[in-house]
Amino acid sequence: MTNYHIAMRKFQLIIMMFLVVGVAKAQRTFSVYGIGFYNLENLFDTTHDEGKNDYEFLPEGTYKWNEMKYSNKLHNMSTVLAEMGTDVLPDVGCAVIGVSEVENAHCLTDLVGQPALKARNFRFEHIEGPDQRGIDCALLYNPSLFQVTDRRLVEYSYDLPADSGKQTRGFLTVSGRLAGEDVAFIVCHWPSRRAASYYREVAGRQVRLVKDSILKANPATKVFVMGDLNDNPTNKSVYEALSAKAKAIEVAEGEMFNPWHEFLTQKGVGTLRWDGKWDLFDQIIITPNLVGKKGDKNYEQLTYWKAQIFQRDYLLQTEGKYKGNPKRTTAGGVWLNGYSDHLPVVAYFVKQQK
């Protein structure tokens, strides 16, 4: 048996699902794939990148960012990334994870070289973007589960003059094969809430155009829009501009399904906390061909199953004013050796085994 088949066997969690058909029960087995997203909150190395405003994260900068802090940050981030998806897939975790707030390819090389990720042979896709601080999006993946065929960075435009100084992060688009099917991941980090809603609405419309162009080229492609959108599922940029709807049965042609809507509106949980209130900026949004027409499941193709906000006790503050908040790397000028101000998210997809 080849290493590839061994890896596939370890990854495939066999789920026995009993579906009622009339009065009879039909037994089917499924393979499960975890897809995740995590805002790494300022994964910077300790050297200056020419043309980037990364001075805070230098040894002499505001954060006194040195090799010890960088090494701990890499260890902490790789620990979380390796554990994402293991509640369902204990041996392999996620097949694909989008990340944001990473400085460069050097940081990503160091990250996938950490023992927790190296053991799974994780690789990454990254294209240096125009963000003034130097933070980008990237895609991490297990190459035995996801095979890359194409990648590109679609640069974000505010619809303002080129000399406006408003350059920001682009949309990293990575296409490939997952579960024997054509898929595409659009990894985003939309403009901060320090900017008006308009700028995130522009981002939503532009991502929708990117998604539409992928589907025009190949309508069978399963598209995942993932990222830190800096808006909730209920906000205009997501619900209207991107047209990401709360219920699969409501999704019309050209729209998307957003499974995170009910987490915020019904369960009152999120991925980051401000003044004691949860927001859910980190989302994985999918095209209708991943949920079936009007929500009808077709498990012979890759199909949405369920989603989770990934949480561990170590990811949260356990005492003080910010008890219950995500435990950051640094807060109030004090290095906490924490993780991120965001919690990760994971969505699970199943496909019937033949």
Side-chain angles (χ1 to χ4, degrees), residues 50-221:
E50 189 66 30
K52 301 296 185 180
N53 184 15
D54 58 1
Y55 299 105
E56 290 180 307
F57 288 91
L58 297 177
E60 64 275 15
T62 307
Y63 292 105
K64 306 298 180 185
W65 197 246
N66 55 33
E67 286 296 333
M68 182 272 290
K69 291 179 180 179
Y70 176 53
S71 178
N72 280 41
K73 178 73 172 180
L74 289 169
H75 170 76
N76 291 351
M77 294 296 89
S78 64
T79 297
V80 182
L81 292 163
E83 286 196 28
M84 289 170 61
T86 57
D87 293 333
V88 172
L89 297 157
D91 292 329
V92 75
C94 287
V96 175
I97 305 174
V99 297
S100 65
E101 293 200 20
V102 60
E103 184 181 18
N104 51 37
H106 171 239
C107 292
L108 288 160
T109 299
D110 288 346
L111 181 64
V112 299
Q114 295 292 301
L117 296 178
K118 189 175 182 179
R120 295 183 186 159
N121 193 30
F122 257 58
R123 298 178 186 174
F124 68 85
E125 294 294 334
H126 165 260
I127 298 174
E128 187 69 30
D131 183 80
Q132 294 172 342
R133 288 184 62 223
I135 55 173
D136 299 321
C137 294
L139 192 78
L140 310 180
Y141 64 96
N142 183 332
S144 67
L145 305 176
F146 173 61
Q147 298 78 46
V148 175
T149 57
D150 186 41
R151 65 173 195 159
R152 60 190 174 114
L153 184 69
V154 180
E155 294 205 6
Y156 174 101
S157 169
Y158 284 108
D159 299 332
L160 293 175
D163 61 354
S164 65
K166 290 289 187 180
Q167 286 181 311
T168 189
R169 303 165 289 267
F171 313 125
L172 179 66
T173 304
V174 181
S175 302
R177 298 280 291 174
L178 177 73
E181 300 184 28
D182 292 328
V183 298
F185 299 94
I186 306 173
V187 191
C188 309
H189 189 180
W190 290 2
S192 163
R193 283 214 160 181
R194 289 190 292 271
S197 174
Y198 163 80
Y199 296 103
R200 292 180 296 282
E201 291 166 34
V202 171
R205 288 193 293 270
Q206 291 186 358
V207 170
R208 186 174 182 177
L209 289 173
V210 175
K211 178 263 299 181
D212 288 345
S213 69
I214 293 170
L215 292 177
K216 183 177 181 180
N218 180 5
T221 303

Side-chain angles (χ1 to χ4, degrees), residues 260-272:
W260 307 98
H261 196 282
E262 66 175 24
F263 280 77
L264 186 69
T265 60
Q266 298 180 29
K267 301 176 183 178
V269 296
T271 55
L272 69 160

Side-chain angles (χ1 to χ4, degrees), residues 213-329:
S213 69
I214 293 170
L215 292 177
K216 183 177 181 180
N218 180 5
T221 303
K222 311 292 178 68
V223 183
F224 304 75
V225 173
M226 58 169 63
D228 174 1
L229 308 185
N230 271 307
D231 264 339
N232 285 311
T234 53
N235 289 127
K236 188 174 181 179
S237 64
V238 181
Y239 195 80
E240 294 185 19
L242 181 59
S243 197
K245 304 307 181 186
K247 296 181 180 179
I249 199 169
E250 296 176 348
V251 178
E253 185 176 353
E255 297 181 333
M256 303 190 77
F257 170 56
N258 190 348
W260 307 98
H261 196 282
E262 66 175 24
F263 280 77
L264 186 69
T265 60
Q266 298 180 29
K267 301 176 183 178
V269 296
T271 55
L272 69 160
R273 206 173 181 192
W274 181 256
D275 285 341
K277 178 185 176 184
W278 285 103
D279 286 305
L280 209 165
F281 292 174
D282 307 271
Q283 299 161 53
I284 302 170
I285 301 168
I286 56 179
T287 44
N289 54 9
L290 280 157
V291 291
K293 292 182 179 180
K294 296 186 177 180
D296 294 334
K297 305 290 186 179
N298 177 12
Y299 294 109
E300 293 181 356
Q301 298 181 18
L302 195 63
T303 302
Y304 171 74
W305 177 27
K306 66 177 183 177
Q308 72 170 155
I309 297 172
F310 180 81
Q311 192 165 311
R312 294 289 188 268
D313 290 343
Y314 66 75
L315 290 175
L316 301 175
Q317 292 273 21
T318 57
E319 58 186 9
K321 179 180 178 181
Y322 299 107
K323 182 178 179 180
N325 283 17
K327 186 178 181 180
R328 306 183 62 166
T329 302

